[in-house]
Amino acid sequence: MSITLLRTLIAVAETGSFVAASGRVHVSQAAVGQQMRRLEEITGAMLFNRQAKPPTLTPLALSLISQAREVVAAYDSLLTEAGGDTALTGSLTLGAVPSSLHGLVPKSLKRLIQSTPQLQVRVLPGLSDELKDMVERGAVDAAITSALPIPSPRFRTYHIAHEPLVLITAPDAAQDTPENLLRALPYIRHTRRAAAGRIAEDWLARNGIEVQSSMELESLETVASVVAHGLGISVVPDICVPDAVFASLRRVPLDTSGRNLCMLTRADCPKTPLIERLMEEVTATVAEYKEKLQSH
């Protein structure tokens, strides 16, 4: 049985359709269908209910997914151990919280690709809880996300940076104590579905501050953009490698609580050498930005 067929089966299970799986495994939709028919011939079993639109996996197929992942992981691990420098080529699927997508991720990937030009990288955005699930089921090889509240042996965690909470305002906004500003001005809330949003809500609750919430937004970069336009203020983690909009805001330190940003991967991920190489560039990118701040 071909490893390619198992990879495609896993892709269909994780993406939910032949169309989406074709993008994951880089073949046409028709080729995905052909591969799955070939797998059914080899196993002698019906793996898909083709009466459904799109076709769905049968209970038997679903029961095979975990074993298929183990076989593919073992195969990839064997190649990694035998491959030496070739372990740093191929492909990498990286998940990332939106706040890292305009600064940390592109800067780090640029450094990585300069040293490994044959590498193909796919980046998927998501909130921290979504990214944890994506890492756990193998939809991404690694994710830049908020650290897990409770460490798990199923994951390997690489610390990137501690991002303390700050009050952000437009550069020309009125100046006062954070408490007075939070009580007086419209508050731009970051969704509670995001780990960073929950951290900010916990800080407000601990300090007994009731805000005048004017809107709730899904991403930190959108919160920063709205604040930059003078529509309100917010409490957010101080992004370790910000984009130009976030960097232009007035940032008032609150306290040491905040978000621990990390790189998360499965403990059995066969692409550990490549992920650790990326982590080296992430660390260098954060250090470079800190040096730039200190030089100013």
Side-chain angles (χ1 to χ4, degrees):
M1 183 182 296
S2 166
I3 287 291
T4 298
L5 299 184
L6 294 181
R7 288 191 196 279
T8 302
L9 176 65
I10 293 167
V12 173
E14 292 178 348
T15 62
S17 73
F18 286 10
V19 175
S22 69
R24 170 82 67 84
V25 297
H26 308 293
V27 299
S28 68
Q29 178 185 353
V32 170
Q34 291 168 2
Q35 289 180 14
M36 294 301 90
R37 287 190 181 89
R38 176 57 181 156
L39 188 58
E40 287 178 323
E41 292 173 2
I42 293 171
T43 60
M46 185 68 70
L47 300 178
F48 292 91
N49 173 14
R50 289 183 171 79
Q51 300 302 314
K53 299 297 180 182
T56 56
L57 276 75
T58 63
L60 173 62
L62 290 171
S63 71
L64 295 176
I65 296 300
S66 62
Q67 297 176 58
R69 288 197 183 105
E70 291 176 3
V71 171
V72 171
Y75 177 83
D76 288 341
S77 180
L78 178 64
L79 291 183
T80 297
E81 291 173 5
D85 290 342
T86 62
L88 300 182
T89 61
S91 64
L92 178 71
T93 303
L94 177 68
V97 288
S99 60
S100 69
L101 291 175
H102 298 284
L104 180 62
V105 168
K107 291 177 184 292
S108 301
L109 288 179
K110 180 179 180 180
R111 302 171 72 112
L112 178 65
I113 291 172
Q114 284 175 341
S115 62
T116 55
Q118 301 304 313
L119 180 66
Q120 294 184 341
V121 181
R122 184 175 183 226
V123 179
L124 301 176
L127 299 178
S128 291
D129 291 345
E130 298 168 343
L131 293 172
K132 171 186 169 293
D133 291 340
M134 292 168 72
V135 170
E136 188 165 23
R137 58 188 171 85
V140 297
D141 299 310
I144 293 177
T145 181
S146 295
L148 298 175
I150 302 175
S152 167
R154 298 195 306 275
F155 299 102
R156 183 180 290 111
T157 302
Y158 303 88
H159 176 73
I160 295 175
H162 176 69
E163 299 176 328
L165 287 179
V166 291
L167 173 70
I168 55 173
T169 75
D172 57 353
Q175 297 193 42
D176 202 337
T177 66
E179 292 77 11
N180 287 342
L181 290 174
L182 285 165
R183 291 186 173 101
L185 298 177
Y187 185 75
I188 311 301
R189 182 167 259 121
H190 186 202
T191 178
R192 298 170 180 85
R193 294 197 305 112
R198 293 193 293 271
I199 291 168
E201 293 298 318
D202 289 345
W203 184 88
L204 291 171
R206 284 200 314 273
N207 288 274
I209 299 174
E210 294 187 9
V211 295
Q212 302 177 39
S213 181
S214 62
M215 63 181 77
E216 181 171 322
L217 302 172
E218 287 292 306
S219 67
L220 267 180
E221 72 269 23
T222 309
V223 170
S225 178
V226 169
V227 169
H229 282 83
L231 294 176
I233 62 177
S234 191
V235 172
V236 299
D238 193 6
I239 299 172
C240 61
V241 183
D243 61 13
V245 173
F246 192 92
S248 71
L249 299 174
R250 181 186 298 147
R251 288 171 281 174
V252 182
L254 296 177
D255 61 28
T256 57
S257 63
R259 175 175 70 173
N260 287 315
L261 196 68
C262 76
M263 180 94 73
L264 190 69
T265 183
R266 277 180 21 177
D268 62 353
C269 180
K271 297 186 180 180
T272 296
L274 180 54
I275 291 167
E276 292 185 344
R277 182 71 185 85
L278 171 59
M279 187 60 207
E280 290 176 7
E281 300 300 358
V282 168
T283 300
T285 300
V286 173
E288 184 179 75
Y289 183 74
K290 285 183 178 179
E291 290 175 4
K292 180 181 177 181
L293 285 181
Q294 292 170 357
S295 67
H296 285 70

